[in-house]
Amino acid sequence: MGGTTIGGRPDGPASAPSIRSAVSSTTSPTATAATPPPGSAALRRAGQAAVTGWRLPGTTPGLLTVLSWTAVLLVAAVTAAMAVSVSATRAAADAVAAEAAPQVEAASELYFALGDMDAQAARMIIAGTAGTLPGQDPQPRVVSDAEVRASTAASGYSSALNVFNDRRDDVGDLLRRVTDGTDGDQAASTTATRVLDGLLRYHALTAQANGVVGRGFVEAGRDPGTADQPLTEVDTSAVSYYGAATNLMHGTVMVHAQSLVDHYENAFDQAQETHQRASIVGGVVLLVGVALLLGVLITLQVVIGRRFRRRVNPWLAAATVVALAVPGTLAGILTVQGERLQTARTQDFEAYLAVSRARAAGHEATADQSRAFVAEHWGARYREAFTQRTAQLVGEDLAVDQPGAFDALTEAAAAYAADPGDIRVGGALGEVMAGAEGQLETTLAREALDRYRVYQDGDRALAGADLGTAVAELTGVGRQDIGFTSYDYDLRLERLAGHQLGSFNATMEGVRGALGGWTAVPAVFLAVGVTLLWLGVRPRLAEYR
């Protein structure tokens, strides 16, 4: 009976051991079973349960999922950092080249044009004045070489009038350019309005002075362009009108114009600093993001290698190379272009501004020199102003009226011609020489220094000269005349300024062009990075389904 069954159930105790054994073998916590091989149905079901319930991130599918999504987020962060860095650098180039630099340029040119216009007004007065002046003998002067001097004075007046009118038009155009850049800038708008108000009063005064001079020519029956003898009498009111005009110009109009230059230079620097800060922040985020992304990708590679017994996952390896190569290359390009922007500001554009200052100081010096001869009762004051202007140009030791200044200036010119690195000149002209780069720029700087040396030599020759000689020298168009030498000096600096401004603009275009193709790279990087991650991880997760 012990071996039989009743109703299909075990009969007797003989069946008990088998039941206990079966239960023990399936429920004992110490029971061992063979681990299902990777890819088996049991393992896939366990993985599916873990993924579906988003639990046990320490399991292989959970860990892969967490690492994969972390990598995707870091790819997005790196993409955003690259986009911000490229955008900030391009925005810096655009802001500097299209907004800040043109405003500084217009303001600097405005200041120069105002000074030159006033210098031409002084030339007109002195060219039309060879006789009665405040504090002089009311009788006409007797001058030697009358016909030559008359022709020189007349042609000088006509030339100065033409240049004056040209500069007046330039000032109008430049003032419009300056005011166009004052939208939303109340300080600049107010200053530009003050320049305009002062300029209107200045033109009224110079028109009266020029009208007096022109009447003198007409009343004498001579055309200023064809006069054959010197004009020996001019109404002294011309000098008074001009004195009031030049005081207004230098005491009010040019002061406000210089304020515009300073204002826009500060705005230039602030714009560049703002974009530099944005570039730095983007660079830091990019560096941190790339480091974290590389860490996650390497971790993914290690996890897959250990748990799936594969040495290298090619898709993740490709993603790692892309994550390192693309941001690294972009970072290098941004660094180079950022340095180019900084160099363009501190070298090319600053050199251009130095040339503008040297041109303005040169014209103001010429005007002071002319005024010192026109108005003898103001002569000492204007002579002192002339000396100060030349000190601004070449430094205190080389200024006119300083002992041994001309000999030292001649030695400095020879030294610079032999070695452009040997700069013995201070002031604005010394800054011009220091900022000159390349053969063309150093040649123009050297020629400008040489023309200034000839100019200063001509001024020495005027010491003690009568008014007729001074008129011939200051308004003459001969190559050795002071008037022509001053023009020749400015011509060299004008060419130098044009070359430096061209170099600056070319650098800006180069920066913008170098970054032009990189604007689409962040989006491509995002697409490629996510795709490589998907190709590298998805097959492994699929083994658990």
Side-chain angles (χ1 to χ4, degrees):
M1 293 296 292
T4 63
T5 61
I6 299 174
R9 296 181 182 176
D11 184 19
S15 63
S18 63
I19 294 175
R20 286 195 298 269
S21 176
V23 173
S24 175
S25 64
T26 57
T27 60
S28 174
T30 60
T32 60
T35 302
S40 68
L43 191 56
R44 284 199 298 269
R45 285 193 297 272
Q48 182 67 32
V51 173
T52 302
W54 192 256
R55 61 181 184 271
L56 300 178
T59 64
T60 298
L63 184 58
L64 290 178
T65 302
V66 171
L67 291 174
S68 298
W69 278 110
T70 303
V72 169
L73 293 176
L74 288 172
V75 168
V78 170
T79 299
M82 288 195 297
V84 168
S85 298
V86 172
S87 176
T89 305
R90 279 183 60 86
D94 291 340
V96 167
E99 298 175 14
Q103 290 172 345
V104 177
E105 176 192 354
S108 299
E109 289 293 325
L110 174 64
Y111 183 88
F112 161 76
L114 290 170
D116 190 24
M117 184 171 66
D118 192 55
Q120 300 308 319
R123 285 186 64 205
M124 285 190 291
I125 299 300
I126 194 172
T129 303
T132 303
L133 292 171
Q136 295 181 356
D137 187 342
Q139 297 301 319
R141 290 175 180 264
V142 178
V143 295
S144 60
D145 301 326
E147 292 183 357
V148 174
R149 289 178 178 172
S151 178
T152 298
S155 61
Y157 176 84
S158 178
S159 173
L161 180 60
N162 290 334
V163 176
F164 178 89
N165 290 332
D166 290 341
R167 288 299 182 217
R168 182 179 58 193
D169 293 340
D170 291 343
V171 167
D173 293 339
L174 290 167
L175 196 54
R176 279 190 290 273
R177 286 176 56 190
V178 169
T179 53
D180 287 343
T182 60
D183 294 340
D185 190 340
Q186 186 59 43
S189 179
T190 301
T191 304
T193 300
R194 290 172 179 170
V195 171
L196 180 59
D197 290 344
L199 197 57
L200 293 175
R201 288 184 286 148
Y202 173 83
H203 282 315
L205 291 169
T206 54
Q208 290 175 302
N210 293 335
V212 171
V213 173
R215 258 196 327 272
F217 278 110
V218 173
E219 290 172 359
R222 294 185 297 275
D223 184 333
T226 60
D228 57 358
Q229 57 182 322
L231 180 64
T232 56
E233 285 194 34
V234 172
D235 192 323
T236 56
S237 60
V239 177
S240 297
Y241 283 133
Y242 174 68
T246 193
N247 288 339
L248 177 63
M249 174 63 75
H250 289 271
T252 301
V253 179
M254 293 185 70
V255 171
H256 292 314
Q258 183 59 51
S259 296
L260 281 174
V261 175
D262 296 339
H263 177 81
Y264 282 127
E265 280 196 56
N266 291 334
F268 185 123
D269 293 335
Q270 289 176 2
Q272 194 168 28
E273 290 174 1
T274 298
H275 292 295
Q276 280 181 342
R277 285 194 295 269
S279 297
I280 292 173
V281 171
V284 171
V285 173
L286 179 61
L287 178 62
V288 174
V290 169
L292 293 175
L293 178 59
L294 290 175
V296 171
L297 290 173
I298 292 172
T299 302
L300 269 171
Q301 189 75 258
V302 171
V303 169
I304 291 176
R306 287 183 177 179
R307 302 200 179 189
F308 293 87
R309 299 180 182 179
R310 288 174 173 83
R311 291 186 177 180
V312 176
N313 184 305
W315 299 113
L316 292 180
T320 304
V321 172
V322 170
L324 184 62
V326 175
T329 303
L330 178 60
I333 292 176
L334 291 175
T335 300
V336 171
Q337 301 310 318
E339 290 176 352
R340 290 182 66 189
L341 282 175
Q342 186 65 24
T343 300
R345 169 67 178 96
T346 57
Q347 291 185 8
D348 292 335
F349 200 75
E350 188 58 43
Y352 161 76
L353 293 178
V355 173
S356 296
R357 289 191 290 268
R359 293 181 69 194
H363 280 294
E364 292 178 47
T366 301
D368 286 329
Q369 185 186 39
S370 298
R371 287 189 283 262
F373 282 97
V374 170
E376 290 189 355
H377 64 303
W378 292 335
R381 187 184 78 181
Y382 284 130
R383 185 66 190 182
E384 181 180 353
F386 173 60
T387 302
Q388 292 175 352
R389 295 294 184 194
T390 59
Q392 292 176 7
L393 272 173
V394 292
E396 294 286 347
D397 295 338
L398 301 181
V400 297
D401 300 335
Q402 295 296 324
F406 180 74
D407 293 338
L409 186 61
T410 301
E411 293 176 1
Y416 185 75
D419 178 13
D422 188 358
I423 301 175
R424 306 180 186 181
V425 176
L429 203 49
E431 293 179 3
V432 169
M433 295 160 64
E437 294 185 350
Q439 183 175 0
L440 176 61
E441 292 187 5
T442 53
T443 298
L444 291 172
R446 174 178 56 79
E447 291 176 352
L449 177 62
D450 183 68
R451 299 314 296 165
Y452 173 79
R453 185 186 63 81
V454 174
Y455 171 85
Q456 189 161 316
D457 189 34
D459 178 74
R460 293 197 309 162
L462 283 181
D466 60 22
L467 183 59
T469 301
V471 169
E473 282 290 332
L474 294 174
T475 63
V477 294
R479 289 197 62 85
Q480 297 304 315
D481 291 333
I482 288 179
F484 181 84
T485 302
S486 175
Y487 161 79
D488 208 16
Y489 161 85
D490 182 69
L491 183 62
R492 299 300 193 277
L493 292 183
E494 183 180 18
R495 290 179 59 193
L496 178 56
H499 185 268
Q500 290 170 335
L501 187 59
S503 297
F504 172 80
N505 290 330
T507 299
M508 293 297 102
E509 287 299 321
V511 171
R512 296 159 77 181
L515 295 175
W518 282 89
T519 54
V521 169
V524 174
F525 174 81
L526 177 62
V528 171
V530 172
T531 300
L532 291 174
L533 280 169
W534 183 78
L535 292 173
V537 177
R538 181 180 177 278
R540 306 288 75 83
L541 289 176
E543 296 181 14
Y544 292 90
R545 293 177 182 172

